[in-house]
Amino acid sequence: MTFDGIWETDNPPSRKWPLYTRGNVGEVFPEVVLPFTWDLIGKAAEDGWRQAFEKMGLVADGDFPDDEPMIILGVFGGYCYINASYVRILGVRAPGGKVENIDSMFFGESDAPDHVARDGDRSVRASLRLGRTLLRLLRTSELPALEHDEAEVDRFVARYPGGDASNAELMAYCRSFAPLFEHLFSRHIDNTFSNALVSGAMIDLVAGSGHPDLVVSILGGIGDVESAAPSAAMWELSRLDADSDAYRTGFARFLHEFGSRGPNEWDIGSDPWMFRPEVATAAIEAMRRADTGRDPVRLQAALASGRAEAVERVRSSLNVVDRYRFDKALAATIVFSQGRERSKTTVIRAIQAVREAQRVMHERAAGDGGAEERWKSCLLDVDDFEAHLDDPAAYRDLIDERAELHARLTDSVPPFVVDGIVPPLERWDSRATTAERLAVGTTVQGIAGCPGVARGRARVVMDAGDPGDLGAGDVLVAPITDPSWTPLFLAVEAVVVDVGATMSHAVIVSRELGIPCVVSAVGATRSIPDGAEIEVDGDTGRVTILSHPS
């Protein structure tokens, strides 16, 4: 049966594992995936993910049919999806695991169908391997492999041929990235799912202590989470006069350290803060309107204090054996939570080096009659991109055609769940469609992200680079968050996100910054009126409409 994809990067859904979701992976690739990026690293991402699952012990014979090269990751209509059918198997095969826990950690609230047990889902050998893996993880106190990966990326960056190199040299550099990406991404997935295993064990022990409500507090204020570092650095800049030498020096230092981060940072065609510093400046300006009470150091200290109290309450309610197990699980959860974000930072640094090489080649092609906007040259796959360097004008029609379809896909809402069949584009909702606004007193139930209760004016922001007058007294209501969004957290009282789960980026960073957060508040950006007074309860996951704007 022939598969007719909507977008250049599309692949057919797996026949064996047909259920996919935008949950979790929507933060990695929030926008339409550009062909240059996916052609370069898409298969490497799939292979790296499989390697991580094999190392963990999850994979059983027959899990991955030979004729399905892409299973764990899928691209439908240009949007990236994660295979929920297979990831849920971790909840089936892991000792003591539960599918609903996996859903909560990775996918959040959705209309995905319930898991239906099938022959072959369970594997005694896989369960035994996963049990041994969990015991190993609980003994982990450090992750020296991350330093090795950072050194590998340092060497890769040092090999960048430079802006004077030939196109052939720059293309060879870009193509050499795939094996390194596969390795780095495998490490990132290993850390991510290791965190899932140890935190799952910890959460079960907290529930057994009789204090399940303390889980959110215990996971907050961990410290040394790299994804929160740009926000803290921006805060310090927001305290300086924008016209001062201290600010200019500090901002230059910020770009040197964090310039590879930004919107849609995994896609080579997207512009990071280094290329578009005005996006970072907009976040800093929003922070200027916040008072000193939003200082992340103070917020993190308060969160750490609450965390210590919650930990002690749980420990005092456990018997000696379970207390020992809890201590081990909590310590490992901290290690792998930090490791997950650290491994992500390492990947993004490497991607930036490839992005630099692609930009040099793009600018040469643009000068010879090619597309002017850099992202548009990434509408070509790797081979076509290389060929177009010799005759850029010959590819203008193809680029224009794809740019038109890209715009249509961008203006459409991809289905959050795909179950074996990708709906035709004509059936996708338009982003311009608004839902019926919620009545006063209505409550939206999401997933608790970071503890605390806050009230404020809802500000629905759809573009992190254009936050408007977002500031003190406001609640940020966003469709999804990646590192370009999280600096805005310090400017507001609380955060509400359409999608997400307990391991989503918004939750991880809000827990470090001490900002009440609710994720998986489905449809919030389309149903909460901009300017409405709302209450956000980060302990229960409830968002309540208090009044409408006058």
Side-chain angles (χ1 to χ4, degrees):
M1 182 177 179
T2 302
F3 173 75
D4 294 321
I6 298 172
W7 183 238
E8 180 68 18
T9 59
D10 286 6
N11 59 271
S14 169
R15 298 183 302 277
K16 184 177 178 66
W17 311 99
L19 184 65
Y20 290 79
T21 175
R22 284 280 290 157
N24 187 269
V25 77
E27 292 184 326
V28 178
F29 286 103
E31 301 176 15
V32 176
V33 180
L34 297 177
F36 184 88
T37 297
W38 201 246
D39 190 29
L40 193 65
I41 66 172
K43 186 61 168 62
E46 171 79 17
D47 292 345
W49 205 317
R50 292 189 188 192
Q51 290 169 20
F53 277 172
E54 288 169 359
K55 176 186 175 185
M56 183 178 293
L58 174 63
V59 180
D61 291 342
D63 278 359
F64 300 132
D66 292 339
D67 62 346
E68 293 192 350
M70 298 293 292
I71 291 179
I72 299 174
L73 289 169
V75 178
F76 312 133
Y79 288 91
C80 194
Y81 287 75
I82 184 175
N83 192 303
S85 293
Y86 194 73
V87 174
R88 280 175 164 181
I89 292 299
L90 182 60
V92 174
R93 294 177 182 170
K98 298 176 182 177
V99 170
E100 51 267 34
N101 289 351
I102 296 298
D103 283 358
S104 177
M105 285 182 182
F106 291 100
F107 308 136
E109 298 291 326
S110 74
D111 55 358
D114 293 337
H115 172 72
V116 177
R118 305 177 305 174
D119 291 342
D121 283 359
R122 295 193 177 276
S123 167
V124 173
R125 290 183 177 179
S127 295
L128 289 173
R129 290 194 298 266
L130 286 165
R132 289 194 294 269
T133 295
L134 179 57
L135 291 175
R136 172 177 58 82
L137 297 176
L138 291 172
R139 295 193 297 267
T140 301
S141 59
E142 57 183 358
L143 299 171
L146 295 182
E147 295 182 7
H148 175 270
D149 290 348
E150 289 165 354
E152 280 288 305
V153 170
D154 287 342
R155 287 190 287 271
F156 178 75
V157 172
R159 289 199 302 271
Y160 172 57
D164 294 331
S166 67
N167 285 340
E169 290 172 317
L170 292 168
M171 279 304 307
Y173 181 73
C174 290
R175 290 182 185 275
S176 75
F177 179 50
L180 175 61
F181 180 84
E182 181 177 322
H183 166 76
L184 296 174
F185 193 68
S186 181
R187 183 87 70 198
H188 177 59
I189 296 301
D190 184 26
N191 287 328
T192 298
F193 282 86
S194 294
N195 188 32
L197 285 174
V198 296
S199 64
M202 187 270 293
I203 290 169
D204 286 344
L205 288 163
V206 173
S209 76
H211 302 293
D213 56 310
L214 295 180
V215 167
V216 176
S217 295
I218 289 172
L219 291 174
I222 287 175
D224 197 23
V225 173
E226 288 197 4
S227 291
S231 299
M234 285 180 170
W235 174 265
E236 294 300 323
L237 289 169
S238 76
R239 303 299 95 181
L240 300 175
D241 183 344
D243 293 325
S244 67
D245 289 340
Y247 177 84
R248 285 188 285 270
T249 300
F251 190 69
R253 188 184 308 116
F254 170 85
L255 289 180
H256 175 74
E257 186 171 358
F258 303 112
S260 60
R261 311 307 297 261
N264 195 21
E265 61 187 5
W266 291 77
D267 201 308
I268 294 166
S270 293
D271 288 337
W273 290 326
M274 181 65 75
F275 291 1
R276 290 186 61 203
E278 66 273 14
V279 176
T281 301
I284 293 170
E285 290 304 310
M287 288 182 186
R288 291 188 189 281
R289 296 188 282 270
D291 60 38
T292 56
R294 309 307 297 171
D295 185 335
V297 175
R298 295 184 184 182
L299 294 173
Q300 208 276 338
L303 209 59
S305 176
R307 177 176 169 274
E309 293 177 5
V311 167
E312 189 52 41
R313 284 185 63 191
V314 169
R315 293 186 80 254
S316 64
S317 300
L318 295 171
N319 60 45
V320 174
V321 174
D322 284 346
R323 190 180 306 144
Y324 173 81
R325 295 169 59 206
F326 171 74
D327 290 345
K328 286 289 188 182
L330 178 58
T333 296
I334 293 172
V335 169
F336 285 105
S337 293
Q338 295 167 337
R340 178 197 183 205
E341 297 307 297
R342 186 175 168 188
S343 62
K344 181 193 299 182
T345 299
T346 303
V347 177
I348 298 304
R349 278 205 308 121
I351 288 174
Q352 177 63 10
V354 177
R355 188 181 283 127
E356 294 278 2
Q358 191 276 338
R359 181 167 73 158
V360 171
M361 292 183 285
H362 161 77
E363 290 176 349
R364 292 171 182 171
D368 290 336
E372 294 183 5
E373 296 171 86
R374 190 179 68 85
W375 74 271
K376 287 188 175 180
S377 64
C378 288
L379 290 168
L380 302 173
D381 63 26
V382 174
D383 287 342
D384 280 348
F385 177 85
E386 184 169 20
H388 112 290
L389 296 174
D390 294 328
D391 188 4
Y395 285 82
R396 286 300 299 267
D397 288 346
L398 177 59
I399 289 174
D400 290 344
E401 177 185 330
R402 288 184 180 169
E404 184 178 346
L405 178 55
H406 183 278
R408 186 180 175 196
L409 291 167
T410 298
D411 290 340
S412 302
V413 180
F416 192 75
V417 172
V418 168
D419 192 2
I421 299 175
V422 182
L425 183 55
E426 292 73 21
R427 288 170 48 192
W428 293 20
D429 290 336
S430 168
R431 293 192 189 276
T433 303
T434 57
E436 182 177 350
R437 76 176 188 173
L438 297 173
V440 172
T442 302
T443 295
V444 177
Q445 183 63 56
I447 292 177
C450 181
V453 178
R455 292 187 175 191
R457 177 183 61 161
R459 297 311 310 268
V460 180
V461 179
M462 303 303 289
D463 180 357
D466 184 21
D469 62 351
L470 182 76
D474 292 339
V475 173
L476 172 63
V477 183
I480 199 164
T481 62
D482 60 21
S484 66
W485 286 90
T486 45
L488 299 177
F489 289 14
L490 285 172
V492 298
E493 308 303 316
V495 177
V496 178
V497 187
D498 279 345
V499 298
T502 58
M503 291 186 68
S504 67
H505 183 78
V507 170
I508 290 168
V509 176
S510 67
R511 286 173 179 167
E512 288 308 297
L513 301 177
I515 311 296
C517 176
V518 172
V519 296
S520 205
V522 180
T525 54
R526 295 199 291 166
S527 59
I528 294 178
D530 186 68
E533 186 78 10
I534 64 175
E535 180 179 88
V536 179
D537 189 331
D539 295 283
T540 64
R542 287 194 293 269
V543 181
T544 305
I545 309 297
L546 302 178
S547 66
H548 285 156
S550 56

